Amino acid sequence: MPVDLYCSYIYEHNRTHLTHGIYTQQDGLYADNATNEEDGASSDATEGHDDEDEIYEGEYQGVPAYNDGKPRDGQVALGQPVSDSLKSRKELENERQADEEELAQQYELIMQECGHGRFQWQLFFVLGLALMSDGVEVFVVGFVLPSAETDMCVPNSGAGWLGSIVYLGMMFGAFFWGGLSDKVGRRQCLLISMSVNGFFAFLSSFVQGYSMFLFCRMVSGFGIGGAVPIVFSYFAEVLAREKRGEHLSWLCMFWMIGGIYASAMAWAIIPHYGWSFSMGSAYQFHSWRVFVVVCALPCVSAVVALTFMPESPRFYLEMGKHDEAWMVLKHIHDTNMRARGEPERVFTVSTPWALHFIIPAAAEPLAGDRSVSPPIWLTFMKCFNHPVKENTMKLAAVWFTLSFGYYGLSVWFPDVIKHLQADEYASRVKIHNNERIEDFTFNFTLENQIHRNGVFVNDRFISMKFKAVTFIDSSFLNCYFEDVSSVGSFFRNCTFVDSFFYNTDIDDTKLTNSRVINSSFHHNKTGCQMTFDDDYSAYWVYFVNFLGTLAVLPGNIVSALLMDKIGRLSMLGGSMVLSGISCFFLWFGTSESMMIFMLCLYNGLSISAWNSLDVVTTELYPTDRRGTGFGFCNAMCKLAAVLGNLIFGSLVGITKAIPILLASSVLVGGGLVGLRLPDTRANVLM
């Protein structure tokens, strides 16, 4: 009998024997009868044996010899296993899929025996910190952007790059770390990726140049990009089926907590411009940099906590590391049993070698699957093979549409509110025409004013601020400027004669088509001057984001409680369709209060779709490509975020019709696609 046919037969015989004869259900527990025999018993799985013993065992079991009844060409002898070479690729794939389903059922039984308790809750909070860091990273971009660009004197041509480049880093990070987690492990990849994020996020708060700041935030985004795909894959693999949907949904709440944390810290820290220090004129450390440091704390906490957690046992089994998997499973079982007050309860899979038969290592690639591609790329290509190809395409479409609408509107909402504030602020501007002021001392703030054709003679501007003040066609004769700062203020077509400037920030960028005659500038302030003193809009933007993030709390609770009752697909499709419909109410958003209400409503309706999509994506992919598939889908999410930022941001103040129709159509369309995904509520992790 050929060795490969015989080994296949023996393996199937032993696996069937162990699965149906040894690992059986008894009084709610699973008894390993192989370990309950007398102490002197031995097994071929644990003691050495030679080929002759195997041949004798095969003959004893009635396996026909190789020379018994040779088949004719094109035929297979009766009772003899069919060689893999005689089977079609589809047949082999179907057999492998059936084996994976059977083995997944066996792993499900083991996880049910381990129970749900202290270990899962410990891992829940550790992974929650990692997911919280992802939420913080997303919100840090929007909160830091105005302050960083002002502090670093970024011209309009460079403005906006920070938001896009961070999302690009997260896009590549999701694909890379997700794929790598299928090769080297969930815990190890998450530790490395979070360490990269924490280090470069912390470093970005100290760099002075905008280009270096962009680089640090991009690498920081690359690190945090691995959080979402790894966190959900990791946690799902230690949950039993009846607990998975609900507890993965509860885990999603940490992303919301991250957004609330970032909003609250921005509201409390950034507007306090006095929270800063400088070392000469070369190094400035303003309040927004303090905010960046504070936002790195959840990531650092996650890295420390992860060092005390074990690797996913499901990943170990996929890699054929049965001893390591057994140790983790026993640790989960014992931890939960001690917490229940049942420390005497014994883990019935009492020896590591039993896992070799209950759940063997992952199958080798099919014949013809030869490739010189890198492992991550090869695993990625498997996401487009039968039977997950169609699901991958649908998931990518749903992730893209949901992200495009969500992040696009997330940019559009605050900018529209700021646009409404700017219009209201401009309506209160004070206009002064043809004024003449002589020998007067200005030592207070001038705000929201326009001075046309003014004449200032022998005037002194000392220790004061110009805030949104514009001088047009005005003349300054023998005037003195000392310790003057300006925000949004300009001198257009003005003339300065015999004037003196000391310690001011008035330079060529603020003197538009102006003439300077016999005047001098001394000890000008370096850098871009920024201030939040009495800046109502700064406080208001952070408060609006805080309310919008807090509004998703009811949706999080509802989705967690109903995920396993009404199903993932109903939750996903219904949430996206309702979110798309809610966009039409933006036609009535003519005031700040109405826009804030619509922002909260939209966020509350869309969060259920995000939670459902996380659960469905985790459950649709088998273990050997779960991180890769989730990483690819999350990369599509971040690509959509970049496009949404660019497209929706360019439409602020231009038209309402295009953003509303665009967001509504993609959300409704994505929801309809999501309804066509397979229902995974009753699935075990393959």
Side-chain angles (χ1 to χ4, degrees):
M1 180 177 183
V3 175
D4 57 340
L5 296 184
Y6 176 74
C7 291
S8 175
Y9 178 87
I10 290 298
Y11 168 75
E12 290 297 330
H13 177 83
N14 287 342
R15 186 165 67 87
T16 303
H17 174 68
L18 282 162
T19 301
H20 300 289
I22 296 178
Y23 199 74
T24 57
Q25 187 170 359
Q26 299 176 357
D27 300 328
L29 300 176
Y30 300 93
D32 188 357
N33 294 335
T35 62
N36 293 333
E37 295 177 1
E38 59 186 12
D39 296 337
S42 62
S43 171
D44 286 345
T46 55
E47 294 187 8
H49 55 279
D50 53 23
D51 293 340
E52 294 180 358
D53 292 334
E54 289 188 346
I55 295 174
Y56 173 77
E57 183 183 10
E59 293 174 351
Y60 180 81
Q61 293 172 353
V63 180
Y66 174 66
N67 294 327
D68 293 345
K70 291 184 179 180
R72 297 179 182 179
D73 295 340
Q75 296 182 347
V76 179
L78 183 63
Q80 185 170 345
V82 180
S83 172
D84 287 351
S85 62
L86 299 180
K87 297 179 182 179
S88 66
R89 184 181 182 88
K90 185 176 181 180
E91 290 175 335
L92 292 173
E93 185 64 43
N94 290 337
E95 288 184 6
R96 181 162 63 178
Q97 185 176 0
D99 288 341
E100 288 177 351
E101 292 175 355
E102 181 181 352
L103 300 179
Q105 292 287 350
Q106 297 294 337
Y107 183 76
E108 177 68 21
L109 295 176
I110 295 175
M111 290 311 305
Q112 288 178 3
E113 182 187 349
C114 291
H116 187 92
R118 176 179 294 175
F119 176 85
Q120 280 83 0
W121 285 112
Q122 289 174 347
L123 187 61
F124 174 81
F125 287 106
V126 172
L127 297 181
L129 287 172
L131 196 60
M132 179 181 172
S133 301
D134 183 85
V136 169
E137 187 75 19
V138 170
F139 283 88
V140 164
V141 174
F143 295 151
V144 166
L145 186 60
S147 302
E149 290 175 344
T150 302
D151 188 24
M152 298 179 179
C153 308
V154 180
N156 291 333
S157 59
W161 269 106
L162 178 58
S164 299
I165 204 166
V166 170
Y167 284 125
L168 286 174
M170 297 174 75
M171 179 182 72
F172 288 108
F175 180 79
F176 175 78
W177 297 113
L180 193 62
S181 69
D182 286 332
K183 300 300 175 184
V184 303
R186 319 301 192 204
R187 172 183 172 275
Q188 185 173 350
C189 272
L190 190 58
L191 264 175
I192 299 174
S193 65
M194 297 298 294
S195 299
V196 170
N197 170 251
F199 176 78
F200 282 94
F202 186 78
L203 182 63
S204 68
S205 66
F206 296 96
V207 298
Q208 292 293 294
Y210 190 63
S211 58
M212 190 62 185
F213 182 76
L214 282 177
F215 174 77
C216 289
R217 296 311 303 185
M218 180 186 68
V219 180
S220 174
F222 176 79
I224 200 62
V228 172
I230 299 177
V231 161
F232 285 100
S233 299
Y234 193 175
F235 196 48
E237 291 170 358
V238 296
L239 293 173
R241 176 175 52 194
E242 66 272 9
K243 298 287 186 180
R244 194 162 56 239
E246 178 184 352
H247 287 269
L248 286 176
S249 299
W250 288 123
L251 184 64
C252 295
M253 292 187 65
F254 280 93
W255 197 92
M256 175 206 70
I257 295 173
I260 293 176
Y261 175 80
S263 302
M265 292 300 101
W267 191 17
I269 296 175
I270 294 181
H272 296 282
Y273 185 71
W275 293 14
S276 62
F277 68 88
S278 61
M279 291 185 292
S281 61
Y283 189 84
Q284 306 287 330
F285 195 91
H286 296 305
S287 57
W288 67 267
R289 297 180 182 272
V290 178
F291 167 70
V292 172
V293 173
V294 171
C295 285
L297 297 181
C299 178
V300 175
S301 302
V303 171
V304 174
L306 269 171
T307 58
F308 298 97
M309 302 308 298
E311 180 58 81
S312 163
R314 191 67 182 89
F315 171 78
Y316 275 148
L317 291 172
E318 193 68 24
M319 296 294 104
K321 298 180 178 180
H322 297 85
D323 293 351
E324 293 87 342
W326 179 82
M327 293 178 65
V328 176
L329 289 169
K330 189 175 186 305
H331 171 68
I332 296 174
H333 175 274
D334 294 347
T335 301
N336 292 338
M337 293 306 109
R338 284 195 299 268
R340 291 183 184 180
E342 303 177 9
E344 72 283 353
R345 192 167 182 177
V346 179
F347 186 40
T348 56
V349 186
S350 57
T351 54
W353 67 264
L355 289 175
H356 287 266
F357 295 95
I358 297 174
I359 305 178
E364 294 296 327
L366 296 177
D369 283 349
R370 299 176 181 177
S371 174
V372 295
S373 302
I376 295 178
W377 179 255
L378 183 61
T379 306
F380 170 68
M381 296 306 297
K382 288 171 62 179
C383 293
F384 293 90
N385 292 341
H386 177 80
V388 298
K389 176 181 178 181
E390 186 177 353
N391 294 336
T392 298
M393 302 301 293
K394 292 178 182 177
L395 283 172
V398 177
W399 275 96
F400 186 90
T401 53
L402 180 58
S403 177
F404 184 80
Y406 178 83
Y407 286 104
L409 288 177
S410 296
V411 171
W412 190 69
F413 269 124
D415 283 351
V416 167
I417 293 175
K418 288 189 288 186
H419 185 74
L420 292 173
Q421 289 179 341
D423 289 343
E424 194 271 337
Y425 186 75
S427 66
R428 295 186 282 107
V429 65
K430 297 179 181 179
I431 301 177
H432 304 271
N433 293 314
N434 302 315
E435 60 183 340
R436 182 181 180 88
I437 301 176
E438 297 185 27
D439 198 24
F440 184 81
T441 299
F442 294 86
N443 56 3
F444 48 86
T445 299
L446 295 180
E447 180 179 359
N448 198 19
Q449 299 178 7
I450 296 178
H451 298 262
R452 298 180 186 272
N453 299 314
V455 178
F456 300 86
V457 181
N458 296 325
D459 293 324
R460 294 164 296 280
F461 301 84
I462 300 176
S463 300
M464 64 164 300
K465 292 187 297 185
F466 292 119
K467 184 178 180 182
V469 178
T470 303
F471 295 91
I472 303 175
D473 297 323
S474 298
S475 300
F476 297 85
L477 307 176
N478 196 28
C479 291
Y480 181 80
F481 297 82
E482 180 180 353
D483 195 21
V484 176
S485 60
S486 59
V487 178
S489 300
F490 302 94
F491 299 85
R492 296 173 180 169
N493 300 320
C494 294
T495 301
F496 296 86
V497 179
D498 295 327
S499 297
F500 185 84
F501 297 83
Y502 181 81
N503 194 31
T504 71
D505 63 351
I506 301 174
D507 53 20
D508 292 339
T509 61
K510 299 179 180 180
L511 301 175
T512 306
N513 296 326
S514 297
R515 295 179 297 168
V516 179
I517 302 174
N518 198 28
S519 300
S520 58
F521 295 80
H522 296 272
H523 199 267
N524 264 25
K525 295 182 179 180
T526 59
C528 298
Q529 303 303 310
M530 50 183 282
T531 177
F532 288 96
D533 294 347
D534 302 322
D535 191 349
Y536 172 76
S537 62
Y539 285 96
W540 191 242
V541 169
Y542 302 138
F543 181 66
V544 168
N545 279 277
F546 177 81
L547 290 178
T549 308
L550 192 62
V552 307
L553 179 60
N556 259 314
I557 297 175
V558 170
S559 63
L561 296 177
L562 300 181
M563 186 68 68
D564 291 320
K565 292 181 173 61
I566 69 175
R568 288 88 157 115
L569 301 187
S570 299
M571 189 83 69
L572 173 61
S575 176
M576 291 187 69
V577 171
L578 289 176
S579 299
I581 294 175
S582 70
C583 292
F584 284 105
F585 291 97
L586 294 174
W587 289 108
F588 307 101
T590 56
S591 64
E592 291 182 37
S593 58
M594 179 61 72
M595 293 300 295
I596 293 171
F597 172 77
M598 294 309 305
L599 170 65
C600 295
L601 177 63
Y602 172 77
N603 286 349
L605 290 173
S606 63
I607 191 61
S608 296
W610 285 107
N611 295 358
S612 305
L613 193 55
D614 289 329
V615 177
V616 171
T617 306
T618 301
E619 295 176 333
L620 277 180
Y621 285 104
T623 303
D624 65 333
R625 68 199 88 167
R626 182 170 295 120
T628 304
F630 206 130
F632 167 69
C633 292
N634 202 249
M636 296 299 295
C637 167
K638 296 307 184 288
L639 176 62
V642 173
L643 296 178
N645 274 287
L646 296 176
I647 294 175
F648 283 78
S650 63
L651 298 174
V652 175
I654 299 177
T655 177
K656 271 188 176 182
I658 296 178
I660 292 174
L661 294 177
L662 189 59
S664 299
S665 59
V666 297
L667 288 171
V668 173
L672 296 177
V673 174
L675 290 173
R676 300 181 63 84
L677 287 165
D679 189 4
T680 60
R681 188 170 13 171
N683 287 8
V684 292
L685 289 181
M686 296 182 62

